[in-house]
Amino acid sequence: MKENRVYEIDDRKEVLFHNNVDFCIGTGRMGLALQQAYQDQLRMVQDEIGFRHIRGHGLFSDDMAIYQEYEDASGVKRAEYNFTYLDMVMDSYRKCGLKPFLELGFMPDKMASGKQTIFYWKGNVTPPKDYQAWCDLVCATLRHLMERYGEEEVLTWPIEVWNEPNLPGFWKDADMEEYFKLFHRTFDAIKALNVRFRVGGPAICGVEDELWIREFLNYCRKEKLMPDFITRHHYTTEFPKPEGHYGYAALSDAEQGFDNLRSTRDIIDSFEEYRGLEIHITEFNTSYIPNCPLHDTNQNAAYIAQQLSRLGDVNESYSYWTFGDIFEEQGVPFTPFHGGFGLVANGCIPKPTFWTFRFYKELCGKCVHKSDDMVIVSTENGGYQGIAWNAAGKRQDRELQFDLVFPAVKGKEYSLIKKTVDEDTCNPLRMWHDMGEPASLDEKQKKLLQDCARPFISGNRLAASEEKLSVSLTVKEFGVVYFELQPIKAENDRGFDYNRAVLN
Amino acid sequence: MKENRVYEIDDRKEVLFHNNVDFCIGTGRMGLALQQAYQDQLRMVQDEIGFRHIRGHGLFSDDMAIYQEYEDASGVKRAEYNFTYLDMVMDSYRKCGLKPFLELGFMPDKMASGKQTIFYWKGNVTPPKDYQAWCDLVCATLRHLMERYGEEEVLTWPIEVWNEPNLPGFWKDADMEEYFKLFHRTFDAIKALNVRFRVGGPAICGVEDELWIREFLNYCRKEKLMPDFITRHHYTTEFPKPEGHYGYAALSDAEQGFDNLRSTRDIIDSFEEYRGLEIHITEFNTSYIPNCPLHDTNQNAAYIAQQLSRLGDVNESYSYWTFGDIFEEQGVPFTPFHGGFGLVANGCIPKPTFWTFRFYKELCGKCVHKSDDMVIVSTENGGYQGIAWNAAGKRQDRELQFDLVFPAVKGKEYSLIKKTVDEDTCNPLRMWHDMGEPASLDEKQKKLLQDCARPFISGNRLAASEEKLSVSLTVKEFGVVYFELQPIKAENDRGFDYNRAVLN
Amino acid sequence: MKENRVYEIDDRKEVLFHNNVDFCIGTGRMGLALQQAYQDQLRMVQDEIGFRHIRGHGLFSDDMAIYQEYEDASGVKRAEYNFTYLDMVMDSYRKCGLKPFLELGFMPDKMASGKQTIFYWKGNVTPPKDYQAWCDLVCATLRHLMERYGEEEVLTWPIEVWNEPNLPGFWKDADMEEYFKLFHRTFDAIKALNVRFRVGGPAICGVEDELWIREFLNYCRKEKLMPDFITRHHYTTEFPKPEGHYGYAALSDAEQGFDNLRSTRDIIDSFEEYRGLEIHITEFNTSYIPNCPLHDTNQNAAYIAQQLSRLGDVNESYSYWTFGDIFEEQGVPFTPFHGGFGLVANGCIPKPTFWTFRFYKELCGKCVHKSDDMVIVSTENGGYQGIAWNAAGKRQDRELQFDLVFPAVKGKEYSLIKKTVDEDTCNPLRMWHDMGEPASLDEKQKKLLQDCARPFISGNRLAASEEKLSVSLTVKEFGVVYFELQPIKAENDRGFDYNRAVLN
Amino acid sequence: MKENRVYEIDDRKEVLFHNNVDFCIGTGRMGLALQQAYQDQLRMVQDEIGFRHIRGHGLFSDDMAIYQEYEDASGVKRAEYNFTYLDMVMDSYRKCGLKPFLELGFMPDKMASGKQTIFYWKGNVTPPKDYQAWCDLVCATLRHLMERYGEEEVLTWPIEVWNEPNLPGFWKDADMEEYFKLFHRTFDAIKALNVRFRVGGPAICGVEDELWIREFLNYCRKEKLMPDFITRHHYTTEFPKPEGHYGYAALSDAEQGFDNLRSTRDIIDSFEEYRGLEIHITEFNTSYIPNCPLHDTNQNAAYIAQQLSRLGDVNESYSYWTFGDIFEEQGVPFTPFHGGFGLVANGCIPKPTFWTFRFYKELCGKCVHKSDDMVIVSTENGGYQGIAWNAAGKRQDRELQFDLVFPAVKGKEYSLIKKTVDEDTCNPLRMWHDMGEPASLDEKQKKLLQDCARPFISGNRLAASEEKLSVSLTVKEFGVVYFELQPIKAENDRGFDYNRAVLN
């Protein structure tokens, strides 16, 4: 099936498109940042895409070893803080050009009021035995960071209190009142340290989210708290069906998700005090489980392409969960392609969705077109960049054919570069399947998978015979195509004739 | 136009195919090896292809600064040798895993009997004023190398006396008798140093080549010399037509070239003493000029694919001229794609022909098929590797369709990997043209050209329903396709279902 | 206080010195090998010293995630093995040129018969619930390794069963009979897989060691087992005195330790069947606690220098515990210099003992002198290498003055190179103290500590006026000095006069 | 002989010290920047010292291949410009964080009015045949650079017209009038391109320098030219005595040199129009020949230490000639230590003078002391940095003992770090001599020389018992000592006791 789209570009108008694709990226728990493979994947992501912040769980979990206790000479229990691993992690982020988006949690075992944990790696999700000890820990950590990295620098790191307290798995009994207490105490302690810190919450996911947002703001208003921003999460699949190590989930309707985000915006704006308060989506992805094969597909890449065109509409930022597949929430994956959240599969293999981010990072200019399957910006030098996608929610064998007309300078030559990521050109999951789904990759296999996981690049040279230029693009099902149309200064070395070179 | 080929593979027979693709590679003059860009290109070639020897001109030319003279206290002129640059060059080769194939030449100005030079970089091509001084220089150099790199190591470096003395541009008056004298004196001096050195000549190109080979061997027989090998060159285009900085040359009929090589073999074998003596083609390429745009095309890659399938038939080795485009024989090139000899264009951009070599380097097994457009080997583990090419001498819009049948194990699954280099998938020259033929590349342009200059990779998973397996390949005009058919141990992680992942 | 030593070297005799310094090195638990900082330190150690094997605990501990269980469709519990992390660790070792010396342990929680654990990282030290499950795990792991790295390669990796079963902390109740059972079952399972695997034990430390060795061999004899080697540990300090995060331990008399090793040898040799059986000291160091400041001192370096001169006397190999300070047995260290076992402190700062190993690695030749404070070998080219140390057990302000006389070629010139590591020249612990003992190092501080942690190098040029050459060396307290005396071919460039250059 | 210095530091006063040590560094001819060894040395210099500009000869010499001519269809000779190598060189500088200080010269052969050349590498030193062609070349080059690197960036690159025209070797007949013409035409052409370019001259060395400066300014005044700065050179040895490949030169009295610089300043200031015009010393060193063994000595390092303390007194900048020893003015050096100008010897071995620059680069603060053998600055955090040197013009066996008293905070602890470069601690020339002066270094020898060529570092921890702190320093003959006195926040981990660790 083939569908046609005809778009004529008018570069005088500007279309709403808040492209903040590189603001933040998610990560497996902080302690994993000590790992070499994690760092290799992160460096690759930063080299090609380059995010500005990174956010993940587990800052205060025991593998980071920050919170320690001992008995002093008189037998009194005292706290001491160990920042050895914290320094290593933060140094590594900074070396990659990243600032943390600090998420405060989970509870150190020794400080916890209970034994409930979450995940394979056992993050304790109970409130502190002693809120003062918690606030001391938070402040000691921030003070240490300011000492090491400079006060002004650390003040630019946003701080979020806890993660998904609206789920009983993440916060004991999903106890709303207790969370508000945690928020209040933490907020006050940080602001007392330096009022310029930016602190937000409640970091909820899409379960009773409207209730939580509303109650949170009611609480803040009552307590005269002015959070610096609101945070929430955004996942867009149906419930997954489990099978062995995996869960299979169908994509939900994208519009439904955008409506949900719109509601959050509206609720906030309905509070006079909080109207226009920044919303940060501190996690988003299609499926919310780290073993959903969908994440590794081209379909995921195309669906996310649409998300990225609109997530900035009512939100300040949106952080994809996660950059890589060094991740242990459900245990250690058995194979490189195991449906992890990452943009990169283990073995440093970019997944199709990696390129969706890369393409959005390229866009730099004024938006002149945005539709359900394409976004185009005009660039300073008189050219255009765009992304087209074919994101049918289900497989339907649909090919999209775009006929674009751009304003152009008559007589000028233009270079058209296309980068195509679709099931035929950039599909490492399929190559891995073709190789027999090996669990252990040798170096040659890794290289082959990396090599086949790159966009297909093609070019063209067009002359504008009038004041406009027509460009055609075909996007196969689940494909994402980046293109760049740039006026060129055609040079020609003395005696060089391309046609003579190739048309002999 | 479409042409079909049907090949049924019988893996019990063995076909003649002496695949010595990695034995030796050519280089611009030795002094250029001091350059960083040269080394960058060489490292890239070695990382991906990995040759064993390297051969080029200019070992004794003045920019290498080896031969020096001074007056001693009593006013007598004396020689002294400076090995500073030689050490740097040899160290750099060895770091890349390369041994030199030493070419002795050209003449240091101070030792030369005349002023005639060749090339932009002015290599002196006249005989020595004093043959003893020449022999001293050769021996001092070899002694130094043995001291630095070990005698046993240096004895594995073949030595060739001079370059193309049958051309008056390379050897004053193409004086045959004088060359024989040079060879004789040099040969004797080296053998006196260590009889195990392997010394050969006469390094001729295809002008009066039969006469030269015959006379050279007559001379050797008369003088009772036993050269260790014979060397010659092999270029396969018509005379180039000059235009500005460039020369345009048409490919000559490949068979004509193979016949010429066969003649050399026959002449040698007609001398009883020299029957079966090794022949090394110490230079080959399509065109013999370093500014022939043909070198940068896909056509060149396909033509060379055929060459590589047959050059080993009567020759021990064949050295492509050259690995990279840091090369100054006609001056410094003005643009990255200037028709240089190299496998790599300036900016570290692999040309299509680069991949032809890479593909041949992959082949490792017994040859089971060789025809005008394909070579196939069987591998130890029950699989196959092959290369197909579409090397029409002139553009004729011909597509080749191969239908291959391989022996297989019934019920077994096979993985088929294809790497395609053709005008649509891997054509940096065209991309550069589409960009407007920029003379100065910025980093982004370089990256784009590098990224578009890689084979297109695709895969497939096939089950053998009987004792044979059918495989189809399409090769577009001037295309080269590498493929690998390997039996796989299909693994399957608990719960993983590829089809369920992608066919939702 | 100054003491003199006068040694005249006779290069015709050979002295017992089995220098196997690079055979094996210890490491923190296997799972830590996933960390970047661990790898950085390991690479540094391998670049400068270059060990051949590496041995550590925790192969089967839960952070390696190898052993997993699930219920099949019919509700039966089944084992499955996850080799994702194992591959990463082994790949990283091999990239550093290391083969593992496999220690089988500790017990996966799900397979364990009890809950007793050891260390901050909670290694389970109870016997398996089911010995067959244990053997299956061992064999599945070995089979996987052979598949990935090749059977011949993996057969060169020694295998040791468990660690220090003679301590109740490491093996429940230090139950000897249970250990013998573990050994027997494991030994049989591995040999059934491939009889060429080399399997040993009992990996004991110095507590009731003689009893254990004797009983182990009695058991083996009775059961007709032929272990491929015997393993034990070797630590040489008194009981440490605890204080805060640290323990302070005094060095014990070295001779006492050597006697202890001698006894082990004698016991083994008293069994006819096992006479001459290889002994591998799979751990040694001064103190056995990972928080003993002694490890970071020059005194440690000097003491170990003596150890290395004699540990090979009755043992095949001896593995220093450990290469680096990424180590968590007592928790995460608070500061870079915390008395860890490592040759390298966190921040990639070599400790003095690092150089002791580097110096021994240099020695390459026939031993011509060995005494309590010096070892000397003669080298192939007519020179000598030696190490001198000043290893007083306690500080006593003693300086050692060595007067050495070497055989020499009259009239020949010699180059003498000395590398000195003592409290004044190479003492990063002191520099760190002088800096104020900072817990968090910034980049500049790290660099300063690295820069000050290198041997002081000095040279001399000596002419032998007769058939002997006198050389003097001074070694300060706790100093270690490496020296090299080599005949030189003095060259002299035309016109160069060193004295004129510097004595103007 | 021992001499004492007693300095009491008063940190309220400020002493004149214009420390512009990192403004510019010299280089061998531009074409050498293509070489890998050149780049390796440059990277090392930039990593450790980090200059901001680089200046050398040969921008327009033929090996850079910029200026080319061809005949057009009608037989008319035309110019064309080749920027291939220029791009490579400039890219490499920028990758090292360097901007060029452009020196315009020498003359392309094809544009030259004569055949006179200078140096082994034959730079043509005659005026252009056609001044318009010269101006076209200059402008085409600048235009190209602006296009590639951005106009604003290139405008920050100073431009100097020619080199040492007051010497007949560098400018035919040292023809003053012709030089003024060259300056005028070039100046006008560049300013017409962009008036914001900064253009200066006359780049003279110390021969008839006063006459030249005066006449140059007279000419400029007459022609109403306002050069942006004045340039001159500064060398400080007597005439060298030649011997074989070398020249031996004695240092001249430093004060004489400073007086000479003062005169230039005075002459300029005597012109009302040019009073205060910036002076850039675009070359300085001790000896002006590239084969003077003095350059490789500690004496050179100490002498330069004094120079660096005062060269900024009347000059804006001063550029050491040169960063490295890839340099060919007298031919290719035969050995690594051949008395080259470089801070780094071939083989990437830092010479003592390298560290003098490194030390001055460290200084960052207000100057509180400057004398003939020491400079001290106070730093923001309440500490001090200083450099002391012992720069006797001739060897006199003098040791300097400094007794320094600093203001301090009573009760505070200070860390004192010293880095010592003297003949005993950091003297690679001597080590090379001790090794037998090998012309060809193997990797092990290179490593040894690099390792012995580093400052000796020592530390101390001092407590201020009153409002002042006494510090003693000893500087051996030809020594240079850097020190840093910094208040520390002494930390102490729970239970750690340094003295207990080392005083057992």
Side-chain angles (χ1 to χ4, degrees), chain C residues 128-181:
Chain C
K129 271 189 300 216
D130 172 353
Y131 273 91
Q132 188 54 48
W134 164 263
C135 290
D136 289 350
L137 168 63
V138 169
C139 289
T141 302
L142 292 175
R143 248 190 314 264
H144 172 76
L145 292 171
M146 290 192 289
E147 215 168 278
R148 187 167 174 82
Y149 301 110
E151 181 159 2
E152 286 309 310
E153 169 60 23
V154 176
L155 286 169
T156 67
W157 303 357
I159 303 175
E160 185 182 37
V161 179
W162 211 257
N163 179 69
E164 300 190 355
N166 61 326
L167 294 188
F170 275 104
W171 179 243
K172 191 162 172 291
D173 306 327
D175 183 335
M176 196 186 271
E177 219 165 316
E178 191 75 28
Y179 174 74
F180 293 167
K181 179 177 175 191

Side-chain angles (χ1 to χ4, degrees), chain A residues 59-68 80-85, chain C residues 120 328 331-332 334:
Chain A
L59 172 62
F60 293 135
S61 290
D62 281 5
D63 64 331
M64 285 294 286
I66 294 177
Y67 183 73
Q68 303 294 335
E80 60 184 356
Y81 307 110
N82 183 326
F83 296 122
T84 296
Y85 282 172
Chain C
Y120 172 84
E328 288 184 350
V332 178
F334 282 69

Side-chain angles (χ1 to χ4, degrees), chain D residues 104-278:
Chain D
L104 305 180
F106 297 118
M107 199 54 60
D109 279 350
K110 297 199 189 77
M111 191 189 278
S113 59
K115 297 215 156 302
Q116 186 188 332
T117 66
I118 190 166
F119 299 141
Y120 171 84
W121 49 267
K122 297 191 174 21
N124 187 300
V125 294
T126 67
K129 274 189 301 215
D130 173 351
Y131 273 92
Q132 190 53 47
W134 165 263
C135 291
D136 289 350
L137 167 64
V138 168
C139 290
T141 301
L142 292 175
R143 247 192 314 265
H144 172 77
L145 292 171
M146 289 192 289
E147 215 167 278
R148 185 166 175 82
Y149 302 110
E151 181 158 2
E152 286 309 310
E153 169 61 22
V154 176
L155 285 168
T156 67
W157 304 356
I159 303 174
E160 185 183 37
V161 180
W162 211 256
N163 180 69
E164 300 191 356
N166 62 326
L167 294 187
F170 275 104
W171 180 243
K172 192 164 171 291
D173 305 327
D175 183 335
M176 196 186 270
E177 219 164 314
E178 191 75 29
Y179 175 75
F180 293 167
K181 180 177 174 191
L182 179 79
F183 183 84
H184 198 161
R185 292 294 304 268
T186 310
F187 185 91
D188 286 354
I190 297 172
K191 293 287 187 177
L193 189 62
N194 190 319
V195 74
R196 290 160 58 215
F197 271 112
R198 307 195 73 229
V199 186
I204 53 163
C205 66
V207 171
E208 298 209 76
D209 45 340
E210 304 203 354
L211 174 70
W212 268 74
I213 291 288
R214 208 179 305 274
E215 289 308 308
F216 179 67
L217 292 176
N218 278 330
Y219 177 84
C220 286
R221 177 161 59 185
K222 196 186 66 173
E223 299 288 325
K224 300 202 184 325
L225 298 181
M226 178 47 85
D228 295 285
F229 52 83
I230 297 298
T231 60
R232 63 158 297 163
H233 298 168
H234 176 62
Y235 290 93
T236 48
T237 47
E238 309 299 332
F239 283 116
K241 293 178 194 142
E243 181 74 46
H245 294 135
Y246 300 91
Y248 295 85
L251 285 162
S252 55
D253 178 21
E255 291 306 327
Q256 200 178 307
F258 294 133
D259 287 352
N260 185 241
L261 296 175
R262 179 80 244 169
S263 298
T264 302
R265 175 78 271 164
D266 290 344
I267 292 168
I268 295 169
D269 289 351
S270 73
F271 286 75
E272 198 173 338
E273 300 86 337
Y274 303 125
R275 184 168 306 142
L277 197 58
E278 277 179 10

Side-chain angles (χ1 to χ4, degrees), chain B residues 407-423:
Chain B
V409 177
K410 190 171 168 180
K412 190 134 195 82
E413 280 194 291
Y414 288 79
S415 141
L416 174 70
I417 309 290
K418 279 185 281 184
K419 302 189 181 182
T420 301
V421 169
D422 63 27
E423 291 185 315

Side-chain angles (χ1 to χ4, degrees), chain C residues 55 57 103 160-168 170-171 174-176 179-180 183 200-217 229-235 260-261 263-265 267-268 279-284:
Chain C
R55 172 194 171 276
H57 313 321
E103 175 201 317
E160 185 182 37
V161 179
W162 211 257
N163 179 69
E164 300 190 355
N166 61 326
L167 294 188
F170 275 104
W171 179 243
D175 183 335
M176 196 186 271
Y179 174 74
F180 293 167
F183 182 83
I204 53 163
C205 67
V207 170
E208 298 208 75
D209 45 340
E210 306 202 354
L211 174 69
W212 269 74
I213 291 289
R214 210 180 304 272
E215 290 306 308
F216 179 66
L217 292 177
F229 51 84
I230 296 298
T231 61
R232 63 159 297 163
H233 299 168
H234 177 60
Y235 290 94
N260 187 239
L261 296 175
S263 300
T264 302
R265 177 76 271 164
I267 292 168
I268 295 169
I279 307 173
H280 291 272
I281 300 180
T282 49
E283 290 182 20
F284 83 99

Side-chain angles (χ1 to χ4, degrees), chain B residues 151 185 190 462 491:
Chain B
E151 182 158 3
R185 291 294 304 266
I190 296 172
L462 309 166
E491 307 174 31

